[in-house]
Amino acid sequence: MKILFVGDVFADIGRRVLSERLESLIAEQGVDCCIANGENAAGGHGMTGNLARKLRRYGVAAITGGNHSFTFPDNDSSFMNEPHILRPLNYPPGNIGHGSTVLTLPDGRTVGIVNLQGRTFHREIIDCPFRTGKAAIEALREKTSIVIVDFHAETTSEKLAFATMMDGRASAVIGTHTHVQTADERILGKGTAFISDVGMTGPEDSIIGMKAEGVIRRFLLQTPVRFEPAGEGPMLNAVLVVVDDDTGRALSIRRVFERIRFSL
Ligand SMILES: [Fe+2]
Ligand SMILES: [Fe+2]
């Protein structure tokens, strides 16, 4: 199975990148299943049901989330109950949505997906992603051989530690959240594909998605500044992972980094 995992889709520019490029990329690469992190899809923070439906139309089969998953700009969170929309599993019980799923592709093949959030440098007090994630992966492996993990976290070490702990049990552990694509993609010893961070699908001409001016101002003044999403330098960041259907082991992982020229 060929899986395309798209890094955090950021605001309208990120959505437009997918609307203009995803369908052709899927066709060119023979992608069977596209998963995208959508925590920043709505103006940089959160997601709406309407936008989730749009991403699906562009070719995204499942949407994962992160620390912005619980921001609902149009005050409607009901879309979070859809089976193909995930948020980090290790948030306290009682929150809307779910953190793992088994997706059935049109050809009948199945892929398990787990969404986790790291704890290092995150302000949320959430359950241990290592223990929660291990249990979830083991449970999914009872149902399907392919399990893809979106580990949404700040530090490379936390993501690599989890991937190494689950080497041979998860097909891929894909890091998200930093919005900066790392060049460390590889297959671990027992067959788990890994990258510390897949990056962002959004404005390259920005500070991780936001206009530089406000971000620099906050660093200089150390007081609250309203950030505005940037809109220049459209890029698509993703990884292509090929997985053996029977064993669930990853055969290859390749980075995708494309600068996009929008049609007029
Ligand atoms: Fe993000
Ligand atoms: Fe995030």
Side-chain angles (χ1 to χ4, degrees), residues 16-232:
R16 187 166 171 201
V17 167
L18 292 192
S19 80
E20 295 210 6
R21 178 65 177 119
L22 189 57
E23 194 181 356
S24 58
L25 184 61
I26 285 173
E28 282 163 24
Q29 298 295 335
V31 170
D32 299 299
C33 174
C34 173
I35 305 167
N37 185 297
E39 68 152 4
N40 309 108
H45 298 286
M47 165 73 86
T48 69
N50 191 28
L51 295 182
R53 281 188 291 278
K54 278 191 178 170
L55 295 188
R56 208 165 158 77
R57 273 209 303 280
Y58 303 153
V60 176
I63 301 168
T64 55
N67 52 308
H68 294 301
S69 279
F70 301 96
T71 303
F72 304 110
D74 66 359
N75 293 319
D76 177 14
S77 60
S78 57
F79 69 93
M80 293 289 282
N81 290 318
E82 304 242 352
H84 66 284
I85 296 177
L86 302 182
R87 46 79 167 172
L89 178 66
N90 51 325
Y91 270 68
N95 279 299
I96 194 163
H98 48 270
S100 69
T101 195
V102 177
L103 202 67
T104 303
L105 305 185
D107 63 11
R109 285 182 291 172
T110 55
V111 49
I113 309 171
V114 182
N115 192 184
L116 298 166
Q117 184 176 316
R119 295 192 291 191
T120 308
F121 301 138
H122 280 276
R123 74 164 83 97
E124 295 84 12
I125 299 169
I126 51 180
D127 292 343
C128 173
F130 288 77
R131 292 180 179 86
T132 309
K134 183 172 192 289
I137 291 167
E138 298 300 349
L140 286 184
R141 288 291 305 243
E142 299 285 316
K143 301 175 188 165
T144 180
S145 57
I146 300 176
V147 177
I148 307 295
V149 180
D150 174 346
F151 198 108
H152 194 81
E154 202 69 71
T155 65
T156 49
S157 61
E158 194 173 8
K159 296 184 239 195
L160 180 55
F162 182 78
T164 304
M165 186 177 90
M166 296 316 298
D167 186 15
R169 299 304 291 159
S171 307
V173 175
I174 313 289
T176 59
H177 175 69
T178 71
H179 294 192
V180 177
Q181 190 177 77
T182 56
D184 61 341
E185 78 280 10
R186 62 183 160 127
I187 311 260
L188 304 177
K190 293 178 188 158
T192 296
F194 174 72
I195 186 166
S196 288
D197 209 292
V198 61
M200 170 182 70
T201 291
E204 186 177 17
D205 186 6
S206 72
I207 312 291
I208 62 171
M210 296 297 178
K211 284 186 179 168
E213 205 179 23
V215 179
I216 294 168
R217 205 173 145 79
R218 188 190 280 182
F219 276 112
L220 282 172
L221 302 182
Q222 295 297 316
T223 47
V225 176
R226 199 181 165 83
F227 289 167
E228 265 185 82
E232 303 295 325

